[in-house]
């Protein structure tokens, strides 16, 4: 898609202002889907607590091995994704979200490919992620890139939120240079 642009942004006041609406939309979308698929209701206070906790992680993503990517079509922000360093060998993809109107246009694929390429370039051995059971399109995307199922991992946000029974844990082993 020629009008799709991915930009690595910093977590400063301007960067946070651009991505914050996307992270909030993601939280609302997930809450709506959990209600529709599982009858699980999150209050506004629950959503705000999760959003605040994630925003608290953003400064920790600063450094050479973090990524906060913004996808735009033209001037319109349509997607976001982060790569969080877990340890020297492991990165975690978090908060990958594409606005519904932009789905099916290659935005999620472009975000994932860039995050995985950056993880590989930064020397990660494995990239992991959590995805909810109703995110069928995301599952297909992740599996098409070689992600496989794994067990729940330490630091799981889904466990902390009490939604681990609705969560798939996936990982991708990255080939090392010879």
């Amino acid at each position: 898609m020629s009008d799709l642009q991915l930009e690595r942004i910093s977590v400063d006041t301007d960067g946070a202002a651009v991505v914050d609406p996307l992270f909030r939309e993601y939280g609302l979308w997930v809450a709506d889907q959990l209600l529709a698929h599982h009858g699980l209701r999150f209050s506004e206070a629950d959503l705000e607590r999760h959003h605040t906790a994630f925003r608290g992680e953003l400064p920790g993503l600063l450094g050479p091995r973090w990524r906060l990517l913004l996808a735009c079509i033209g001037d319109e922000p349509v997607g976001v994704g982060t790569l969080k360093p877990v340890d020297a060998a492991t990165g975690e993809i978090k908060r990958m979200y594409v606005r519904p109107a932009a789905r099916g246009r290659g935005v999620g694929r472009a975000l994932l490919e860039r995050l995985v390429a950056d993880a590989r370039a930064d020397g990660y051995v494995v990239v992991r992620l959590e995805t909810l059971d109703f995110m069928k399109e995301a599952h297909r995307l992740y599996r098409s890139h070689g992600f496989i199922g794994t067990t729940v991992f330490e630091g799981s946000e889904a466990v902390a939120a009490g939604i681990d029974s609705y969560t798939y844990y996936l990982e991708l082993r990255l080939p090392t240079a010879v």
Side-chain angles (χ1 to χ4, degrees):
M1 169 183 305
S2 62
D3 56 345
L4 175 64
Q5 300 158 17
L6 296 180
E7 177 184 353
R8 180 177 173 184
I9 62 173
S10 63
V11 186
D12 56 16
T13 303
D14 293 337
V18 171
V19 297
D20 197 63
L22 289 163
F23 289 141
R24 286 188 181 281
E25 281 179 38
Y26 173 76
L28 290 170
W29 180 80
V30 167
D32 288 346
Q33 296 301 308
L34 284 168
L35 181 60
H37 290 270
H38 300 294
L40 185 61
R41 183 179 306 276
F42 280 85
S43 69
E44 286 191 33
D46 292 332
L47 290 172
E48 190 58 37
R49 187 176 62 254
H50 290 294
H51 183 70
T52 299
F54 183 73
R55 283 203 74 211
E57 284 187 359
L58 290 177
L61 295 175
L62 293 173
R65 300 179 83 209
W66 72 274
R67 293 296 183 277
L68 173 55
L69 298 180
L70 176 66
C72 293
I73 297 177
D75 292 334
E76 180 68 25
V78 296
V80 67
T82 66
L83 177 64
K84 173 187 172 183
V86 175
D87 57 38
T90 309
E92 183 175 356
I93 294 174
K94 299 190 64 82
R95 292 301 192 282
M96 207 166 104
Y97 174 68
V98 177
R99 286 183 161 156
R103 292 180 187 161
R105 298 180 65 186
V107 176
R109 181 170 302 281
L111 283 165
L112 181 63
E113 287 173 356
R114 171 75 179 275
L115 291 169
V116 168
D118 287 354
R120 186 175 285 116
D122 286 343
Y124 289 111
V125 176
V126 66
V127 178
R128 68 185 193 191
L129 58 85
E130 300 172 311
T131 183
L132 292 163
D133 59 359
F134 52 79
M135 297 177 172
K136 303 297 185 196
E137 294 84 6
H139 302 167
R140 284 191 291 277
L141 174 64
Y142 299 140
R143 294 203 186 276
S144 76
H145 280 77
F147 281 81
I148 59 170
T150 189
T151 58
V152 63
F153 40 78
E154 186 176 334
S156 165
E157 190 174 354
V159 170
I163 57 173
D164 47 306
S165 62
Y166 310 122
T167 303
Y168 297 144
Y169 303 90
L170 302 175
E171 71 178 18
L172 175 65
R173 297 255 169 216
L174 301 173
T176 57
V178 285

